[in-house]
Amino acid sequence: MKKTICIIDDDQIYQLIIRKVVERTGKFDSISFYKDGIEAFEDFKSPEKSLPEIILLDINMPLMDGWQFLDNLIVQRPNFDQKTIIYIVTSSIANSDRDKAKSYKEVSGFLSKPLSVEKLKQIADKHRK
């Protein structure tokens, strides 16, 4: 069974690259993109809105960064992590970011850009429903 995936990242070039990676996995039947945390949060804050099964979240974005997005989503939809898997996908190499990601029970992992087709396949397979 194929999954839904969402990319929240302000880098348009990365969005083009990750779209190709997602398509090459053959594991997803739906992909959505958001350019920042505000845009994504506005779409996801309603409990009636279905969340994707996997979110790949950048942390360094303007307006609302990935941490702010997570904090807002947790408050607005406290049980979202029962249906949605979140991975931080970033170019940050800061240990403080890695440690912060570990402090969120809602975050399944911290990954460095760019993601490979194989890594994304592993993520999809790991979280089969």
Side-chain angles (χ1 to χ4, degrees):
M1 184 166 80
K2 292 188 177 182
K3 299 179 175 295
T4 57
I5 189 168
C6 166
I7 314 301
I8 306 172
D9 196 302
D10 63 316
D11 185 336
Q12 292 180 344
I13 293 171
Y14 179 72
Q15 285 189 9
L16 291 172
I17 293 167
I18 196 66
R19 176 183 297 277
K20 295 290 184 195
V21 170
V22 169
E23 289 169 356
R24 288 184 182 147
T25 67
K27 301 280 184 180
F28 301 93
D29 58 8
S30 172
I31 181 172
S32 56
F33 290 92
Y34 298 93
K35 66 182 183 307
D36 59 54
I38 290 176
E39 184 182 46
F41 179 70
E42 286 301 315
D43 198 28
F44 292 160
K45 70 181 180 182
S46 171
E48 290 80 39
K49 169 75 176 184
S50 293
L51 294 175
E53 292 163 284
I54 296 176
I55 295 176
L56 302 181
L57 177 63
D58 188 21
I59 50 176
N60 297 314
M61 295 180 289
L63 306 177
M64 179 188 282
D65 67 22
W67 305 124
Q68 293 165 320
F69 168 81
L70 270 174
D71 292 340
N72 282 297
L73 192 63
I74 290 165
V75 168
Q76 190 69 26
R77 297 183 71 166
N79 296 320
F80 81 89
D81 63 320
Q82 296 170 6
K83 301 173 189 156
T84 299
I85 307 301
I86 295 181
Y87 281 87
I88 302 295
V89 182
T90 183
S91 56
S92 172
I93 58 169
N95 284 333
S96 59
D97 285 334
R98 189 175 298 280
D99 292 342
K100 189 169 185 174
K102 289 178 184 175
S103 75
Y104 284 87
K105 71 176 181 63
E106 297 84 2
V107 174
S108 295
F110 185 93
L111 305 168
S112 296
K113 288 181 181 177
L115 280 186
S116 67
V117 172
E118 273 311 305
K119 184 63 179 176
L120 196 51
K121 281 182 180 179
Q122 289 173 0
I123 289 169
D125 290 343
K126 178 180 179 182
H127 299 288
R128 286 190 177 162
K129 292 198 177 186

